[in-house]
Amino acid sequence: MLFSRRSAEDETVVAMLASAIRRDISFGVLHPDEKLKIEALRQRYGGSNHSMRETLRMLVSEGMVEATNQRGFRVTSATEDDLADILMMRIEVEKLALERAMKHGGVDWEAAVVAAHHQMIRAEDQLCQQPDDATALGWDEACRSYLTTLISACRSPRLHEMVGRFYDQSRRFRLARLREGRIDFGARRDRHEALKSAVMERDFASALRLLEEDTCADLRG
């Protein structure tokens, strides 16, 4: 029991550290290609050498961090080629997951989609009224929650995990567009209203097209 408890505590610390570093990569606090030194990260985020190294290994598996040949770590690059590759993968896995969710989802899933959509719109309103890092993070998390809910009935944990992974990899591109004022919230809201309706009506062609259009618009405009 002692070892099990310690393991659970270690996993909690690693999860918290990963969340903080993932957030700072997404917001550009940690820059693309920036070297990540264990001791400097510990001073900034806390944790032990072991927990920080495990955190970085987790972020490597997610594609947020790269391991270098010298056994160090750095933030993954963020070039146009990186964006194109992430966008391609996001579209493919999201469309596959949504198609499966629309086939298998029932009334409870539909209710959850409507609720998550409502929460996303509320977060968007708050962001537009008071644009700062806190509301931007709340909006981004609400958008992630909505996407997660949309594909939650896909009946594939691995597919679900892949959708989340590519969403996280694309966050810094999306948040950069937000900081630059390049997201059209009016058009975005119209797309999501149409997407929600298509999902409820099981209009597969329209739903998959709208999902792809929205992902592309968020990342490239």
Side-chain angles (χ1 to χ4, degrees), residues 193-207:
E193 286 291 345
L195 174 59
K196 182 182 68 172
S197 296
V199 167
M200 295 299 112
E201 295 168 5
R202 298 301 196 273
D203 182 347
F204 286 82
S206 295

Side-chain angles (χ1 to χ4, degrees), residues 204-219:
F204 286 82
S206 295
L208 298 180
R209 174 180 56 79
L210 287 162
L211 181 67
E212 179 172 349
E213 287 178 1
D214 187 67
T215 301
C216 290
D218 268 2
L219 296 178

Side-chain angles (χ1 to χ4, degrees), residues 111-123:
V113 168
V114 171
H117 176 268
H118 178 67
Q119 290 295 329
M120 181 180 68
I121 296 302
R122 289 190 63 183

Side-chain angles (χ1 to χ4, degrees), residues 24-205:
D24 283 352
I25 291 174
S26 299
F27 275 93
V29 177
L30 297 172
H31 303 289
D33 300 313
E34 181 176 339
K35 290 183 179 179
L36 301 173
K37 297 181 179 180
I38 300 292
E39 186 56 35
L41 291 173
R42 283 188 59 211
Q43 292 178 8
R44 186 171 189 168
Y45 299 100
S48 64
N49 282 342
H50 173 74
S51 61
M52 185 57 70
R53 191 168 291 277
E54 288 301 307
T55 298
L56 293 175
R57 287 181 181 137
M58 174 187 292
L59 294 173
V60 167
S61 72
E62 295 177 3
M64 303 290 289
V65 169
E66 293 179 355
T68 67
N69 293 332
Q70 293 78 26
R71 297 183 180 179
F73 300 91
R74 68 177 184 180
V75 178
T76 302
S77 62
T79 66
E80 280 297 315
D81 286 343
D82 293 322
L83 173 57
D85 193 39
I86 293 169
L87 182 58
M88 181 267 292
M89 291 302 299
R90 263 199 68 175
I91 289 170
E92 292 302 316
V93 297
E94 285 178 7
K95 288 171 68 176
L96 175 59
L98 179 58
E99 184 175 20
R100 289 179 55 86
M102 291 173 66
K103 289 178 180 177
H104 300 299
V107 174
D108 289 345
W109 170 72
E110 291 178 357
V113 168
V114 171
H117 176 268
H118 178 67
Q119 290 295 329
M120 181 180 68
I121 296 302
R122 289 190 63 183
E124 194 168 284
D125 288 340
Q126 292 174 353
L127 174 62
C128 292
Q129 292 168 9
Q130 185 180 353
D132 55 31
D133 284 352
T135 55
L137 181 61
W139 170 72
D140 183 70
E141 290 176 347
C143 293
R144 192 186 199 281
S145 179
Y146 177 57
L147 176 61
T148 299
T149 305
L150 269 179
I151 60 100
S152 61
C154 71
R155 296 187 179 179
S156 171
R158 291 173 179 82
L159 183 55
H160 198 280
E161 180 186 1
M162 287 181 66
V163 169
R165 180 174 299 184
F166 288 119
Y167 183 93
D168 287 339
Q169 290 182 23
S170 69
R171 289 176 77 192
R172 53 185 167 167
F173 297 99
R174 185 162 175 262
L175 290 169
R177 286 178 55 78
L178 175 64
R179 290 194 300 273
E180 295 163 3
R182 296 168 59 199
I183 293 181
D184 185 339
F185 285 107
R188 190 175 190 279
R189 182 168 299 199
D190 290 342
R191 281 194 306 273
H192 276 283
E193 286 291 345
L195 174 59
K196 182 182 68 172
S197 296
V199 167
M200 295 299 112
E201 295 168 5
R202 298 301 196 273
D203 182 347
F204 286 82

